[in-house]
Amino acid sequence: MDFETIRTETRGPVALVTLNRPEALNALNSRVLEELIRAFAEFEADPEQRCLVLTGAGDKAFAAGADIKEMAAMAAADFYAADFFSRWTSHIVKATRKPWIAAVNGFALGGGCELAMMADITIAADTARFGQPEIRLGVGPGMGGSQRLTRAIGKAKAMEMCLTGRMMDASEAERAGLVARVVPRAQLLEEALKLAEEIAAQPPLAAIAVKEMVNAAFETTLEQGLIFERRVFQVLAGTADKAEGMAAFIAKRPGQWTGR
Ligand code: CAA
């Protein structure tokens, strides 16, 4: 299957995936999901690729949501039978243990906002706008918006956004803790790739483990999370990269990682 709705390329250890339906504001249809699933599986399978950046083609949108034209004709039974949207969790969020970044270049609405929130780090262009406008379509978020947005920015703002469909601009999103950083539109890709390269240059096992540790904070009690963190730390302490990292620090030289 050739990619029709996304573009993929690699830049050294960084994979760059671009949602590529600018004429539909990169709306997420079934074909996009199939292609993203394949791109994420390829990223995960290649040990040379260490961090992925996901962005949108064009200047207007990262993704303006799930494809309304595709969903309009679907009955409740179709959504239910297919457990529609479930594969975003099972085949995108859970597809890779390696870190990935969403570089939000414009509208991130509905499923687009939800996709940005699936990323390990979200950075935004100053032109980005975030929202969960599904209520205006007679539905609600379906790819995690009510859960991830609430965890990211708290109940008050999440409730307001989901109940009204109001959009947040990039600086409000940064203040609310939805995005790690806002950069000028022209520098978004460069900054996202630089961040990805920085992550790709870290010891690979530690990068996977740190992602697991932070994600555990969303799934466990504090006590269980602290135990998990200590155990993972203790496992990392047995790696060659730990010996190298600490020796390199003491010798005042850069570490050379083997991923062992
Ligand atoms: N699905 C399908 N097509 C979409 C789309 C979407 N989510 N968003 C935009 N498009 C299409 C438009 O239909 C239009 O196509 P045509 O040229 O064929 O008419 C094209 O993209 C350009 O869009 P507009 O002309 O509307 O552009 P605009 O600049 O006037 O408005 C916008 C931009 C405010 C983002 C507006 O497009 C919009 O409101 N889009 C829908 C946003 C939305 O409701 N998203 C939630 C979808 S439901 C969902 O995501 C469920 C979930 O939780 C998973």
Side-chain angles (χ1 to χ4, degrees):
M1 176 178 80
D2 289 332
F3 291 129
E4 272 177 11
T5 63
I6 64 172
R7 290 196 308 260
T8 62
E9 56 191 283
T10 52
R11 301 198 181 184
V14 175
L16 174 61
V17 178
T18 307
L19 301 166
N20 194 24
R21 299 182 70 212
E23 70 291 349
L25 303 188
N26 301 320
L28 305 167
N29 64 14
S30 299
R31 176 86 192 198
V32 176
L33 174 58
E34 291 308 324
E35 295 187 1
L36 280 180
I37 288 172
R38 199 176 112 208
F40 272 72
E42 285 173 5
F43 166 65
E44 178 66 0
D46 182 353
E48 302 299 318
Q49 294 181 34
R50 306 267 287 279
C51 189
L52 179 150
V53 172
L54 177 67
T55 193
D59 260 336
K60 274 187 85 171
F62 172 71
D67 193 309
I68 299 167
K69 291 169 187 166
E70 183 179 73
M71 293 186 297
M74 290 174 63
D78 299 322
F79 287 105
Y80 191 63
D83 199 7
F84 204 72
F85 297 135
S86 66
R87 292 201 306 151
W88 289 94
T89 298
S90 59
H91 287 71
I92 301 293
V93 179
K94 295 187 179 170
T96 180
R97 299 170 72 205
K98 297 183 255 189
W100 64 280
I101 297 165
V104 177
N105 51 304
F107 290 117
L109 302 177
C113 185
E114 292 165 313
L115 179 56
M117 292 189 292
M118 290 177 205
D120 299 306
I121 302 175
T122 308
I123 69 171
D126 49 8
T127 53
R129 306 195 56 194
F130 298 85
Q132 297 290 160
E134 294 91 339
I135 193 164
R136 298 180 183 181
L137 302 168
V139 288
M143 281 163 54
S146 64
Q147 305 303 300
R148 290 201 178 90
L149 189 66
T150 307
R151 282 165 168 78
I153 68 175
K155 175 179 165 181
K157 268 186 186 287
M159 196 67 97
E160 184 210 351
M161 287 180 71
C162 292
L163 281 174
T164 65
R166 160 175 102 75
M167 289 187 219
M168 238 185 206
D169 66 18
S171 62
E172 185 181 0
E174 186 181 28
R175 286 197 306 277
L178 185 57
V179 303
R181 194 193 301 172
V182 179
V183 299
R185 170 69 185 102
Q187 280 147 39
L188 177 68
L189 194 56
E190 184 190 325
E191 289 293 329
L193 290 170
K194 207 159 56 172
L195 177 59
E197 276 160 26
E198 205 177 311
I199 292 168
Q202 305 302 327
L205 295 179
I208 289 170
V210 166
K211 170 171 168 168
E212 284 180 353
M213 287 178 182
V214 175
N215 279 335
F218 293 96
E219 306 290 348
T220 60
T221 62
L222 178 60
E223 190 175 4
Q224 289 300 315
L226 291 171
I227 292 169
F228 178 75
E229 181 191 81
R230 287 200 301 277
R231 292 291 170 264
V232 176
F233 180 101
Q234 290 155 4
V235 169
L236 288 173
T239 63
D241 283 345
K242 174 265 182 187
E244 166 65 7
M246 294 199 181
F249 174 83
I250 291 164
K252 300 187 189 300
R253 62 168 175 79
Q256 300 290 327
W257 315 123
T258 56
R260 305 297 298 171

